[in-house]
Amino acid sequence: MPRNPGITDEAIIKMYKSGMPYKEMVSRIGISDRSIRNVMYKHGVKMNREQSSGQPRKHRINEDFFKTWSHEMAWVLGLFITDGCINKSISSVSLTQKNQTILRQVAKYMGADYILSKKYKTRSTATLIINSKEIKNDLGKLGVLPNKSLSVQFPKVPDEFLPSFIRGVIDGDGWIDKAGYAMNITSGSKPFSEALLSLFLSWKLKPEITSITGQSGNPIYRVWLNGKKNFRN
């Protein structure tokens, strides 16, 4: 079975060391799991039993991070609500961001190893991987579930931490005009967008909501704020 074009031994080793399970590696590389193990043996890479069984490797992480509200936790939750991915089959979550500085800050707040996976055939943007059943379960309790993009609900965030949560949402799926007088937040979830609209109204702002049809045929919602009076220092 030939490899997919452009996949080198070094790339395979990086995928393995990132914690990617064999099942995903096989689909990306185009060779069998035995051939992947042979690459590891050839280069003297220490093998991990959990990874070969399809389970993610255990890494350093503060597993209580999402159990107690803080401004840091609320900000990270906003990022996961927008840019996070929850693996349905294994205990792994990931966060994708063009700005690696944000990913490094998330890893620092969560006490996590900075396990970065990027520039694969189906992934061109930097992705922080966190392997933890506890983190996955806690995110699920907060509404961050697999295939969440069209149905995610606005979480019950204590009022004190709402601004930090919204900053995370903006960092994830927000757009701000260079002049600083226009902003929008994009979501595929109507309930989330409508709750965001209501929150901005409760803050005495003047938001608007628009929608377009995406390439997949599903609606995409944008919650807008325009004008100097809508922005606080």
Side-chain angles (χ1 to χ4, degrees), residues 98-113:
K98 292 180 180 179
N99 187 347
Q100 286 194 38
T101 300
I102 288 178
L103 295 183
R104 291 184 185 277
Q105 189 63 61
V106 170
K108 180 179 178 181
Y109 283 156
M110 297 186 71
D113 293 322

Side-chain angles (χ1 to χ4, degrees), residues 15-116:
M15 291 183 203
Y16 180 82
K17 288 185 175 180
S18 76
M20 184 181 294
Y22 273 104
K23 185 176 180 180
E24 185 174 352
M25 290 178 69
V26 167
S27 65
R28 293 181 185 278
I29 300 166
I31 59 177
S32 67
D33 55 353
R34 177 178 293 181
S35 296
I36 293 170
R37 285 193 292 272
N38 287 340
V39 172
M40 301 302 117
Y41 294 141
K42 182 172 73 173
H43 293 278
V45 177
K46 186 177 180 180
M47 306 295 288
N48 183 282
R49 290 184 180 180
E50 287 183 348
Q51 192 172 1
S52 63
S53 67
Q55 296 298 316
R57 289 186 292 168
K58 190 70 175 178
H59 297 283
R60 183 173 62 93
I61 181 72
N62 173 13
E63 296 200 313
D64 293 330
F65 182 75
F66 286 110
K67 297 185 186 302
T68 304
W69 284 100
S70 68
H71 289 290
E72 292 81 7
M73 182 274 228
W75 177 71
V76 174
L77 178 62
L79 285 163
F80 269 99
I81 282 276
T82 51
D83 280 342
C85 178
I86 310 301
N87 193 304
K88 189 176 182 179
S89 57
I90 61 175
S91 298
S92 179
V93 302
S94 60
L95 185 65
T96 300
Q97 262 281 333
K98 292 180 180 179
N99 187 347
Q100 286 194 38
T101 300
I102 288 178
L103 295 183
R104 291 184 185 277
Q105 189 63 61
V106 170
K108 180 179 178 181
Y109 283 156
M110 297 186 71
D113 293 322
Y114 189 59
I115 309 164
L116 194 64

Side-chain angles (χ1 to χ4, degrees), residues 114-230:
Y114 189 59
I115 309 164
L116 194 64
S117 176
K118 64 177 182 178
K119 294 184 179 179
Y120 292 141
K121 188 174 181 180
T122 59
R123 180 190 292 147
S124 59
T125 307
T127 300
L128 175 68
I129 299 172
I130 295 172
N131 297 322
S132 169
K133 183 178 180 180
E134 194 75 9
I135 292 293
K136 179 180 178 180
N137 288 343
D138 285 345
L139 281 171
K141 292 174 184 177
L142 291 164
V144 188
L145 299 165
N147 303 318
K148 64 178 173 56
S149 59
L150 301 180
S151 59
V152 67
Q153 303 289 314
F154 198 96
K156 294 181 180 179
V157 181
D159 290 348
E160 177 185 356
F161 304 110
L162 274 169
S164 295
F165 173 74
I166 295 301
R167 280 195 292 271
V169 170
I170 293 170
D171 285 335
D173 267 344
W175 169 87
I176 299 177
D177 176 67
K178 289 182 179 180
Y181 302 139
M183 181 201 78
N184 70 53
I185 296 170
T186 301
S187 177
S189 168
K190 186 176 182 180
F192 183 87
S193 299
E194 290 180 339
L196 189 62
L197 184 78
S198 296
L199 175 65
F200 287 157
L201 287 170
S202 74
W203 285 354
K204 309 301 181 183
L205 303 177
K206 296 181 179 180
E208 296 178 357
I209 189 168
T210 62
S211 67
I212 61 172
T213 301
Q215 293 182 350
S216 64
N218 294 314
I220 297 173
Y221 301 93
R222 288 194 174 96
V223 178
W224 292 84
L225 290 174
N226 293 287
K228 293 182 181 181
K229 293 183 180 180
N230 270 326

